[in-house]
Amino acid sequence: MIHKFDGIRESSCARDSFYVLIDEAHRSTGGDLGNYLMGALPSATLIGFTGTPIDKTAQGRGTFKTFGKEDAGGYLDKYSIKESIEDGTTLRLRHTLAPGEISLPDEMLDQEFLSLAETEGVSDIDELNRILDRAVRLKTFLKADERVDRVARFVAEHFKENVDPLQYKAFLVAVDREACAKYKEALDRYLPPEWSVPVYTKNSLDVIDRPLVAKYQIDETREKEARKAFAKPGELPKILIVTDKLLTGYDAPVLYCMYLDKPMRDHVLLQAVARVNRPYEDDAGRKKPCGLIIDFIGILRELNRAFSFDSKEVSGVIEDLDLLFERFRELMGEPAARYLDAGDGTPDQQLERQLYEVYFDKDRRRQFFDYFQEVETLYEILSPDAQLREYVSTYQRLADLYAVLRSEYGTQGGVTSYELGHKTEMLLTHEAVTTGDYAAGRTVEYDAKTLETLHKNAKTDTGKVMNLLRDLRTRAEAEATTTPALRGLFERAQRVTEQFQDRQLSTEQAFDEIQKLITEQTKAQAERKKLGMDAPTFGVYWLLDEAKLAGAKELAVEVSTLFDRFPNYARSADEMRQLKAEIYKTLLKEVSGKRMVELGDNIIKSRGV
């Protein structure tokens, strides 16, 4: 609305009760319109909002010259990047320099960009482009055909090895529109053409002046489709080649990596790299670990020069990838040895000891899961890399242990279980070392003879009880789809498992509960065979018989026919109401009131609704 003040009369309102809220405060009031606004409202309180304040007060420019003069530190209130990371609204950024032979030379970056006074505090992409247009030697280096090809080859390999396996996407930020077109042409030599799309501003004169730029220009419809598809996991394109468009205001949480080949600094740089810091979680519960920047320019080597405003705010938020290697090495030392220690014996004996002795305690299990999640996150970011070679074997053992514990315990006992990362899963699959099926494959068959033997054995251990419980839950859950009467048995088996893990039941007590559940399961199966009922009807009968209703068999048959009369009850609220009314009406022959309603609702629930 600031344009409304153009040419407005001075002191249009001198009252001090006016408050002016100004968005994008780092640039909104910088021109004549700002002078008109302040002249029209000389006594108003001005409140500015910005994510990137300019601090050039000494030169007569800057956000703090207009706003925050009366506030300690210049801020009325501040929400820092670090706070947003702690809150989970953004992710930490990691960066690493591209190989030296294809990176911009330091002296060229300094002479043609960093040393120019006008680059400091640049807040607009168009302003940045005008500055770079004068950096002829710099742009000539960045767009040289041989270099473009080498960078494209590097990007293609890095994307295939580091980004695509995680099922994330990437930006390639080129210095100008011509560079975008060149990168598209070069990337198509190393990646399927449909993987990448260049998105840059269109100029009708390009057909004559810049034929290569015109060749790869896309119309508004295609751009809209590309932007929409890029934001969707699993859809093409996987890489967007950009230089001005999409560097601000475009959010695609699946965007993970930015290949930065355009000199930037301050606000433009911060807005650009923020494209990759959006949180993302896939359908399997895997969370994006960070945003990754591959720096071909070297601008992030010295953060205090890249960000002239509050550079300390960015320190610790944009971190060198080498720091992650240090942390990974630290975690793979003594902590890894401690978590993997299982005493002497064969691998099977050690694994069984870890399953049912070391990590039976949910607190110790939680500690290991938290530890492994951090190690795995680092591995997913860093792999593949030659520096990881000496740790592969140990990391495989850690991942294998986690897979087994997750298979055995899942989310029971208050411990969160999450899916393995893509690269970790690929590692285990490729090496074929995982024993993730170990727990599921070592079940104890619970026929009468086995149960009797176990019951007499005073040394019935945790492993046998856990195997029995798991096998019982698995069978009850599977058979509940054909024998609804067993759905309640599954829930009770789940409850016994949790009580056993929480040490509310001893081994012998848990075994006694298992015997009761198995006896009930056997009784249900025998009863159904004796009555000759189909599974759904028997499920109703079992509930009615447990409730000790006279004529349970006849009532079950009558109630079951009601489900045929209302086949769409699960999808139609109207049919559900009619079905409930008919079930209650039928049950009224033997039961009434609250008990009738509960029994009717349990019958519908037994059908999986």
Side-chain angles (χ1 to χ4, degrees), residues 235-525:
E235 292 193 17
L236 296 173
K238 299 183 177 187
I239 301 174
L240 290 182
I241 308 169
V242 300
T243 185
D244 44 22
K245 285 189 173 184
L246 308 187
L247 287 181
T248 60
Y250 176 68
D251 283 341
V254 75
L255 173 59
Y256 165 67
C257 182
M258 175 175 286
Y259 300 102
L260 184 60
D261 198 39
K262 179 173 185 170
M264 298 181 186
R265 62 178 303 181
D266 294 330
H267 316 86
V268 175
L269 177 59
L270 186 59
Q271 289 174 344
V273 298
R275 297 312 99 207
V276 298
N277 76 351
R278 300 304 191 254
Y280 170 73
E281 183 174 341
D282 64 18
D283 293 338
R286 301 182 183 98
K287 294 182 180 180
K288 189 169 79 174
C290 63
L292 178 63
I293 305 158
I294 310 299
D295 185 4
F296 292 86
I297 299 300
I299 194 67
L300 295 175
R301 183 183 289 109
E302 297 183 58
L303 293 180
N304 62 330
R305 297 193 69 188
F307 299 100
S308 59
F309 66 94
D310 265 358
S311 59
K312 62 180 179 296
E313 288 292 331
V314 183
S315 178
V317 170
I318 304 180
E319 294 183 340
D320 195 309
L321 218 56
D322 288 343
L323 297 176
L324 298 191
F325 273 109
E326 292 180 15
R327 178 59 176 164
F328 184 78
R329 293 188 187 98
E330 178 186 337
L331 292 173
M332 293 299 288
E334 186 275 331
R338 174 163 38 87
Y339 282 114
L340 288 172
D341 182 28
D344 299 326
T346 66
D348 269 7
Q349 290 172 332
Q350 291 177 330
L351 186 57
E352 190 158 354
R353 191 177 300 119
Q354 286 175 318
L355 267 174
Y356 303 122
E357 294 179 23
V358 179
Y359 294 110
F360 180 72
D361 181 82
K362 68 178 181 182
D363 289 332
R364 297 188 70 176
R365 209 158 60 240
R366 182 184 292 110
Q367 290 171 8
F368 172 71
F369 278 17
D370 290 344
Y371 160 81
F372 180 74
Q373 189 172 26
E374 182 179 2
V375 172
E376 186 194 46
T377 297
L378 294 173
Y379 180 83
E380 293 289 308
I381 296 171
L382 299 172
S383 175
D385 193 288
Q387 297 181 69
L388 298 177
R389 188 181 185 281
E390 63 179 292
Y391 303 104
V392 169
S393 177
T394 301
Y395 181 71
Q396 283 176 337
R397 291 175 61 200
L398 289 168
D400 200 36
L401 175 59
Y402 168 75
V404 174
L405 290 173
R406 185 188 64 182
S407 173
E408 180 69 1
Y409 296 103
T411 58
Q412 296 169 20
V415 177
T416 301
S417 174
Y418 46 86
E419 294 293 327
L420 288 170
H422 291 288
K423 292 179 183 178
T424 302
E425 197 168 30
M426 290 169 60
L427 173 70
L428 295 185
T429 301
H430 176 71
E431 297 297 332
V433 298
T434 183
T435 52
D437 292 331
Y438 172 91
R442 290 177 60 92
T443 58
V444 180
E445 296 294 336
Y446 49 74
D447 55 30
K449 184 176 181 181
T450 302
L451 286 173
E452 184 180 356
T453 301
L454 288 172
H455 190 62
K456 290 179 179 179
N457 183 2
K459 295 182 180 180
T460 299
D461 60 19
T462 301
K464 292 187 177 71
V465 170
M466 287 296 294
N467 275 286
L468 278 168
L469 284 168
R470 183 190 56 255
D471 197 43
L472 180 59
R473 293 195 313 271
T474 301
R475 294 188 187 192
E477 185 176 30
E479 294 176 18
T481 58
T482 57
T483 308
L486 297 179
R487 184 167 286 109
L489 187 141
F490 165 76
E491 293 171 354
R492 286 161 57 194
Q494 188 85 356
R495 193 158 51 247
V496 171
T497 302
E498 292 172 358
Q499 290 173 339
F500 181 54
Q501 290 188 28
D502 288 340
R503 304 185 187 277
Q504 296 175 15
L505 296 175
S506 68
T507 303
E508 284 302 312
Q509 288 172 327
F511 186 79
D512 289 341
E513 291 298 322
I514 291 171
Q515 281 191 307
K516 293 176 185 176
L517 292 170
I518 293 173
T519 299
E520 185 173 338
Q521 181 181 20
T522 304
K523 178 184 175 183
Q525 292 168 333

Side-chain angles (χ1 to χ4, degrees), residues 176-236:
D176 60 18
R177 298 184 310 132
E178 183 183 19
C180 287
K182 283 190 166 189
Y183 273 127
K184 170 59 180 170
E185 193 168 64
L187 274 180
D188 286 354
R189 292 194 286 268
Y190 303 107
L191 294 174
E194 62 272 16
W195 280 27
S196 64
V197 170
V199 178
Y200 47 81
T201 53
K202 189 175 182 179
N203 189 322
S204 58
L205 296 178
D206 288 338
V207 175
I208 299 172
D209 299 336
R210 301 176 182 81
L212 184 65
V213 174
K215 176 182 178 180
Y216 290 106
Q217 280 175 355
I218 58 178
D219 59 29
E220 290 183 7
T221 300
R222 176 70 181 101
E223 179 182 330
K224 185 177 180 180
E225 292 172 349
R227 290 163 59 124
K228 187 175 181 180
F230 182 82
K232 296 180 179 179
E235 292 193 17
L236 296 173

Side-chain angles (χ1 to χ4, degrees), residues 584-585 587-588 591-601:
Y584 297 157
K585 182 179 177 181
L587 294 178
L588 266 173
V591 66
S592 62
K594 183 179 179 181
R595 191 162 172 241
M596 173 199 70
V597 173
E598 290 179 350
L599 194 54
D601 291 348

